[in-house]
Amino acid sequence: QVQLVESGGGLVQAGGSLRLSCVASGSIFSFNSMGWYRQPPGKQRELVATITSGGSTNYADSVKGRFTIARDNAKNTVDLQMNSLKPEDTAVYYCNLVRVGRWYWGQGTQVTVSS
């Protein structure tokens, strides 16, 4: 069993910054990747950024150069630093962990960017 708990969402003005954090617990050894996805209002869930167990990162084109994903193995956390936020970044952000072909999700945290 894997548990993922997100924190750090909130309301911010366009151009501002937020940092999301996700703490993983349970059977997380030998995980394949961790990352962040988001679901904007009325739209499907989409990739934001992922980081593999080896440290390779992948970003959606829409966030490249603005968002940075980082993992702390000692603390079992994955953070998402979001800078230069835009109104279109408004969404519920979900932490994700993939392990042995299974996908796990956190409960989500709301990020709202006002114009």
Side-chain angles (χ1 to χ4, degrees):
Q1 192 72 6
V2 173
Q3 295 82 41
L4 303 172
V5 178
E6 304 105 332
S7 61
L11 173 64
V12 65
Q13 289 188 331
S17 298
L18 281 176
R19 187 177 185 88
L20 305 182
S21 184
C22 173
V23 180
S25 61
S27 301
I28 61 174
F29 57 92
S30 299
F31 73 92
N32 302 106
S33 68
M34 293 185 71
W36 293 90
Y37 287 70
R38 68 186 180 188
Q39 187 163 14
K43 297 184 179 181
Q44 291 186 333
R45 194 172 297 188
E46 62 185 23
L47 167 75
V48 177
T50 60
I51 183 166
T52 68
S53 58
S56 297
T57 57
N58 181 46
Y59 294 91
D61 288 343
S62 60
V63 307
K64 284 181 180 177
R66 300 188 298 123
F67 291 10
T68 302
I69 190 170
R71 192 182 75 239
D72 186 326
N73 289 334
K75 297 180 180 179
N76 291 330
T77 60
V78 60
D79 292 348
L80 185 69
Q81 178 65 42
M82 305 185 293
N83 298 328
S84 302
L85 283 161
K86 304 175 181 180
E88 51 264 43
D89 293 319
T90 294
V92 178
Y93 283 70
Y94 295 92
C95 181
N96 168 263
L97 183 146
V98 180
R99 179 181 176 273
V100 196
R102 293 193 62 179
W103 290 56
Y104 299 90
W105 300 96
Q107 81 284 357
T109 185
Q110 177 69 46
V111 171
T112 302
V113 184
S114 63
S115 58

